[in-house]
């Protein structure tokens, strides 16, 4: 108990004087304090009196019986003087300027360089080099919040204060460096926290009339960050009633379970695409070889009649960018309306091997743990994931835990990623050798006697057989194949085996191989051997790529499983589904996407409906181009005239995640609300409305008329989602399984048992990819791995239509300095990349982050043709293409003037 301005307040010892003042409702300005970062005590604005002494309230713990005074003559005089001194060093703005004027310090009596020579100072202190972040250090009060946010939230350590006394300045690298070339990753945490506007983002500087703020879920990656989307009217039109609404700014939701207010460059800034002039605003129908604008009625009639005409030879690719409700409708239309199980989604080209591998090893093909477990883990094994670029908010959390010494880190990756730089052990393997490396790790765990014998004997099968199988697969024996020194494998096994809470996170570097599913089984083996399931901070956790790839699979957008992973061949399930849908289910087995391409090439598949995927740019070229060209009917529902849409017979303009209601399911199985923040552009329609219209025209009887109705049907359909409804998803969603309306959701799977009972320990022999047959020093000396860079997302259709394009305007191919010298190539040169199957062109980057003999290329720009390089090889169980091992050679390319 203590007193604030004479009022008695209950406190606990963890509180500060500032907390106590706030609890008492007393106003104490605190410019350099924010609950999200550690206190710094730099600005001295929060000074209060206790007895005859002044204390910085933000950084002074409470003590019993303290009598705090927040207003007194002495404090008023102190604050006035402090305010005037602040004016001498900064052209104060924002909330700080308001506070200073309340203190009676609207200016300064003292001489100030900042105010007397602003133009000279501005030259060195204003930096507009970055497309999103603006620096005007003449406004900086040296409160250091930006530095602490950058260090403590993102872990990027961009800022440091340079100089002493009055000459102290915020720095971000060597003097003279433009900010855009600093280590900044544009997460925006600094601009969101800066109290003076010295650091601001362009979106905050806009002159606009704000109309509303809506909470929704990010539509980029599978982390599922919660956004506050501010929509308004901007520019000259802003007073007109018919002015067009647009996104003004996006903030993170401060108390959201997934991201606690933090965002990355995509979630915060990549919203310009929603009002981009390239948006499709009319249906297009190919007439005389040209895509021609037609009415919605004409387009929908055409699609319905021709899909029905080609019934028996149709297929559909649903979209992981779309909502659960839309994915559910899509597969229902395919199955009940068009009589086919030929329905798939882009999980086929990313994490289908995860689902297949985990299902065989554990019984459920989804993340075993919650993202909040990152705070509980004492070791991370990050395998085949460049997390800080592909899943930035999760990557930042992992990095923070490691930098604070709370967890060890093992990284398996052929590149020295940002996480690899801070890892305790980096296993820099040769591409395509995951299986021998993971077997060697299991060998070492057993040899070091780090196996959890109780867990293994009570919950797994096949330990003795596995131990015998692994006997010959020691780190020393596999070193020549993997390229990883045996001592590092022993060290990694020793760390993993000794950790109390080892948490695995894996990405496409594990799955996009011919033995992708089997690699995931071997990751499960490691966790099973050490008993890392069913508790906090452990498990096997795929980092889902697209925002709703988990949801698209949950909804049954795969040929062999219905919504909720129900088996369509089970007679009991069949009759239940047929009753619910009022239509017979097809009896044949469906085709995966690569098999649909095969069937199209041979004329067995004649119509394909693609919802929101640009397969020409993202799927292996040898399959796609020829297959699409053979189709009698290609329908594409899209935001832009993508490379795939350009080849279509019908194009239907759909909607972006900001423009519709529904739900997404993130990579930790969390179903979260998506809320409409603004209308689609006139002429475009919400995707669920388009699908309902097509279903109605296909004669499917139903009463669904809103996303909420659709979700009610999903909950009836799928036992794992039976307890989910929109009301229960407030505010932070629910993690499935949620079997009843009373169930609180399941952050951690497999607590007591696996769905398959005892988990089998898998014995997987390394079967080198056929791609290895092409690698020879003369023909194709480099192993190419493809992937993403931070500013862009997948085909880049949304991020390229924002200022992200300024940060990464081209795809770049990286090779090591030694390989650059070997091939006589220089940084920045234009190169032609050739594989046995195709060619691509890009700019060369020489990078010490990549091993000799390995190359890395992004695929965000259509003109690069990255996927034309890919071969025909697929994962043996899940048909996922082998994106992470392509034999290539490169040479300089001359550019036409
Ligand atoms: S730039 Fe802003 S947040 Fe950073 S020290 Fe200056 S005033 Fe504080
Ligand atoms: S980490 Fe993923 S979900 Fe979060 S803001 Fe970035 S892109 Fe969006
Ligand atoms: S808020 Fe306490 S010293 Fe700045």
């Amino acid at each position: 108990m203590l007193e604030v301005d004479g009022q008695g307040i209950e406190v606990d010892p963890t509180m500060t004087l500032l907390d106590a003042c706030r609890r008492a409702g007393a106003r104490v300005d605190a410019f350099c304090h924010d609950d999200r970062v550690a206190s710094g005590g730099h600005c001295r604005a929060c000074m209060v009196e206790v007895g005859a002494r002044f204390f910085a309230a933000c950084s002074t713990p409470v003590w019993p019986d303290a009598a705090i005074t927040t207003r007194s003559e002495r404090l008023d005089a102190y604050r006035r003087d402090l305010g005037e001194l602040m004016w001498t060093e900064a052209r104060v703005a924002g909330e700080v300027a308001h506070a200073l004027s309340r203190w009676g310090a609207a200016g300064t009596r003292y001489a100030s360089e900042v105010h007397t020579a602003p133009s000279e100072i501005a030259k060195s202190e204003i930096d507009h080099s970055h497309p999103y972040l603006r620096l005007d250090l003449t406004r900086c009060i040296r409160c250091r919040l930006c530095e602490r946010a950058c260090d403590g939230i993102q872990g990027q350590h961009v800022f440091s204060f340079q100089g002493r006394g009055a000459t102290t300045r915020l720095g971000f690298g060597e003097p003279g460096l433009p900010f855009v070339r600093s280590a900044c990753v544009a997460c925006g945490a600094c601009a969101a926290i800066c109290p003076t506007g010295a650091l601001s983002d362009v979106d905050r500087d806009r002159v606009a009339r704000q109309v509303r703020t809506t909470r929704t879920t990010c539509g980029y990656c599978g982390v599922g960050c919660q956004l506050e989307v501010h929509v308004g009217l901007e520019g000259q039109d802003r007073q007109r009633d018919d002015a067009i609404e647009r996104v003004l700014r996006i903030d993170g939701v401060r108390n959201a379970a997934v991201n606690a207010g933090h965002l990355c460059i995509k979630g915060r800034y990549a919203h310009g695409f929603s009002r981009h002039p390239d948006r499709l605003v009319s249906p297009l129908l190919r007439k005389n070889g040209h895509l021609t604008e037609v009415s919605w009625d004409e387009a929908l009639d055409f699609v319905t009649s021709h899909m029905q005409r080609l019934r028996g030879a149709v297929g559909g690719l649903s979209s992981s960018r779309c909502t659960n409700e839309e994915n559910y409708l899509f597969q229902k239309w395919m199955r009940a309306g068009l009589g086919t199980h030929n329905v798939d989604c882009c999980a086929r080209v990313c994490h289908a091997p995860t689902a297949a591998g985990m299902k065989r090893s554990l019984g459920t093909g989804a993340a075993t743990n919650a993202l909040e477990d990152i705070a509980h883990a004492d070791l991370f094994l990050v395998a085949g994931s460049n997390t800080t670029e592909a899943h930035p908010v999760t990557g930042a959390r992992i990095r923070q835990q490691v930098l604070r010494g709370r967890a060890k880190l093992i990284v398996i990756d052929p590149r020295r990623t940002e996480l690899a730089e801070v890892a305790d052990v980096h296993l820099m393997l040769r591409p395509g050798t995951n299986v021998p490396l993971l077997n060697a790790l299991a060998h070492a765990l057993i040899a070091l006697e780090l196996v959890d014998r109780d867990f293994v004997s009570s919950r797994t099968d096949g330990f003795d057989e596995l131990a015998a199988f692994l006997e010959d697969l020691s780190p020393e024996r596999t070193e020549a194949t993997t390229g990883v020194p045996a001592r590092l494998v022993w060290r990694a096994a020793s760390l993993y085996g000794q950790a109390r809470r080892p948490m695995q996170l894996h990405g496409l570097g594990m799955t996009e191989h011919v033995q992708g599913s089997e690699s995931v089984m071997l990751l499960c083996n490691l966790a099973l051997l050490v008993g890392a399931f069913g508790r906090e901070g452990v498990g096997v956790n795929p980092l889902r790529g697209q925002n709703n790839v988990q949801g698209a699979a949950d909804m049954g957008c795969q040929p062999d499983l219905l919504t909720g992973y129900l088996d369509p061949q089970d007679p009991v399930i069949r009759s239940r589904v047929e009753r619910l849908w009022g239509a017979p289910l097809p009896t044949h087995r469906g085709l995966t996407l690569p098999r649909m391409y095969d069937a199209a090439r041979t004329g067995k598949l004649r119509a394909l409906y693609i919802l929101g995927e640009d397969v020409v740019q993202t799927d292996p070229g040898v399959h796609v181009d020829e297959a699409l060209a053979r189709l009698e009917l290609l329908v594409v529902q899209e935001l832009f005239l993508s490379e795939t849409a350009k080849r279509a017979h019908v194009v239907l303009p759909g909607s972006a995640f900001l423009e519709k209601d529904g739900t997404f399911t993130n990579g930790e199985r969390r179903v979260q609300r998506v809320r409409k923040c603004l209308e689609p552009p006139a002429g475009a329609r919400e995707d669920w409305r388009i699908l309902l219209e097509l279903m109605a025209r296909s004669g499917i009887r139903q009463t669904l008329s809103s996303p909420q109705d659709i979700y009610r049907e999903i909950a009836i359909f799928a036992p794992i989602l039976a307890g989910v409804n929109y009301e229960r998803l407030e505010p932070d969603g629910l993690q499935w399984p949620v079997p009843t309306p009373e169930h609180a959701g399941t952050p951690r799977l497999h607590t007591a048992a696996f769905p398959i009972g005892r988990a089998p320990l898998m014995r997987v022999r390394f079967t080198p990819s056929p791609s290895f047959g092409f690698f020879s020093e003369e023909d194709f000396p480099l192993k190419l791995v493809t992937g993403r860079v931070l500013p862009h997302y997948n085909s880049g259709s949304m991020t390229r239509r924002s200022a992200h394009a300024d940060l990464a305007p081209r795809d770049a191919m990286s090779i090591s300095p030694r390989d650059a010298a070997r091939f006589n190539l220089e940084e920045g040169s234009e190169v032609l990349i050739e594989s046995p199957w195709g060619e691509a062109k890009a700019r060369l980057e020489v990078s010490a982050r990549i091993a000799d003999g390995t190359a890395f290329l992004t695929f965000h720009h259509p003109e690069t043709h990255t996927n034309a390089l890919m071969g025909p090889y697929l994962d043996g169980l899940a048909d996922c293409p082998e994106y992470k091992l392509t034999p290539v050679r490169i040479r300089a390319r001359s550019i036409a003037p």
Side-chain angles (χ1 to χ4, degrees), residues 206-225:
R206 286 196 162 139
V207 181
R209 174 153 67 95
Q210 186 163 326
V211 175
R212 79 184 84 82
T213 295
T214 310
R215 175 174 174 163
T216 194
T217 303
C218 179
Y220 283 101
C221 86
V223 177
C225 294

Side-chain angles (χ1 to χ4, degrees), residues 217-227 258-259 262-268 390-394 545 547 793:
T217 303
C218 179
Y220 283 101
C221 86
V223 177
C225 294
Q226 293 299 291
L227 315 178
V258 170
N259 55 314
H262 194 38
L263 294 175
C264 78
I265 182 172
K266 286 166 280 214
R268 194 184 290 277
H391 301 85
V393 167
T394 295
N547 53 317
Y793 201 73

Side-chain angles (χ1 to χ4, degrees), residues 425-557:
V425 185
H426 176 199
L427 305 176
M428 200 172 185
L429 77 175
R430 294 200 177 103
T433 62
N434 290 333
V435 166
L437 179 65
L438 295 169
N439 275 332
L441 280 165
H443 171 107
L445 279 177
I446 295 171
L448 293 168
E449 297 188 3
L450 292 171
V451 171
D452 181 337
R453 292 276 174 183
D454 289 345
F455 188 92
V456 165
S457 64
S458 62
R459 294 189 59 180
T460 73
D461 278 332
F463 176 75
D464 291 339
E465 292 85 346
L466 178 69
F469 172 78
L470 292 173
E471 218 154 82
D472 285 345
L473 302 175
S474 67
E476 287 73 15
R477 285 275 181 94
T478 47
E479 181 173 325
T481 308
T482 63
V484 179
R487 69 184 163 75
L488 293 182
V489 182
W490 287 106
R491 167 111 175 102
S494 155
L495 288 174
Y496 186 75
Q498 289 183 59
R500 282 184 300 132
R501 293 178 305 282
M503 184 173 189
Q504 285 186 25
L505 301 109
H506 73 265
L508 306 185
M510 282 288 126
T511 60
E512 290 178 339
H513 290 279
V514 293
Q515 285 189 290
S517 301
E518 289 169 309
S519 299
V520 173
M521 293 176 199
L522 297 185
L523 286 170
C524 293
N525 270 6
L526 297 179
L528 289 166
L529 286 172
V530 301
F533 285 108
R535 52 195 171 88
E536 276 182 350
V538 297
V540 176
N541 299 285
L543 290 160
R544 295 302 203 141
Q546 309 238 37
N547 53 317
N548 198 33
V549 70
Q550 180 70 56
D554 296 350
M555 291 302 111
C557 291

